[in-house]
Amino acid sequence: MNVEHINPFIEACRVVLKQVIGVEAALGKVFVKSSPYSGEAVIIIVGITGDLKGQAVLSQNYDTAKSVASMMMGGMPIDELTELSRSAISELGNMILGTAASFLSQKKISVDITPPTILTGEGVMISSDKMVTVCIPLTWDNGSKSIELDISVS
């Protein structure tokens, strides 16, 4: 996978997290994941088509998801992930991938994204057998909140 393809996803994550929930996310060490791998408890999957083909998987634990949903909903307390709060989390994935698509288009790489799909639950295994999966870890609140964006494209 080309680094030129990964950097727009990293930048999109950081820009959207700053604009939407007001956090400066610190970038962890980007690494390659072996397939299959286990996602966190709340997973958003967005398909990628066009010049790049594959998927993006945004995963986070329940506490982070509830915190993000709360911030996206104007600070409303979130005790559990309801349909409304899951919709907010899905929209975060949509915004990150839409922004990444815009950044890629500036590099003359045309991509479209599918509507996000959200999965919740422990022990979800994700497989992208024929593609390399690059993990982009981001943290904030002194590392107490984190998300991972896994990109598998060819």
Side-chain angles (χ1 to χ4, degrees):
M1 183 176 300
N2 188 331
V3 171
E4 182 179 312
H5 297 157
I6 296 303
N7 287 335
F9 291 98
I10 294 170
E11 188 60 24
C13 284
R14 296 180 90 182
V15 165
V16 170
L17 289 172
K18 176 67 176 168
Q19 289 176 346
V20 175
I21 62 174
V23 299
E24 292 281 348
L27 177 64
K29 183 173 172 56
V30 176
F31 64 97
V32 174
K33 281 189 172 178
S34 297
S35 185
Y37 62 92
S38 177
E40 287 280 352
V42 180
I43 300 165
I44 297 107
I45 301 172
V46 178
I48 300 169
T49 62
D51 292 340
L52 301 177
K53 293 169 182 44
Q55 67 185 15
V57 177
L58 184 70
S59 63
Q60 57 204 298
N61 65 32
Y62 279 110
D63 287 338
T64 298
K66 290 187 289 188
S67 175
V68 168
S70 173
M71 289 185 270
M72 289 182 73
M73 296 166 62
M76 185 172 115
I78 304 292
D79 296 324
E80 64 181 70
L81 291 178
T82 63
E83 189 64 34
L84 183 60
S85 54
R86 283 193 301 273
S87 177
I89 297 297
S90 287
E91 185 56 25
L92 179 69
N94 198 40
M95 294 167 91
I96 289 171
L97 271 293
T99 301
S102 293
F103 289 161
L104 286 163
S105 74
Q106 293 170 6
K107 297 178 177 293
K108 307 293 186 228
I109 300 168
S110 178
V111 298
D112 287 317
I113 60 172
T114 65
T117 299
I118 188 165
L119 305 171
T120 58
E122 301 294 329
V124 175
M125 297 301 290
I126 301 163
S127 180
S128 54
D129 289 339
K130 298 190 181 195
M131 291 181 277
V132 172
T133 299
V134 175
C135 178
I136 303 166
L138 296 147
T139 62
W140 63 95
D141 284 351
N142 296 319
S144 68
K145 303 284 188 263
S146 66
I147 62 170
E148 287 186 349
L149 179 62
D150 300 322
I151 305 296
S152 304
V153 292
S154 60

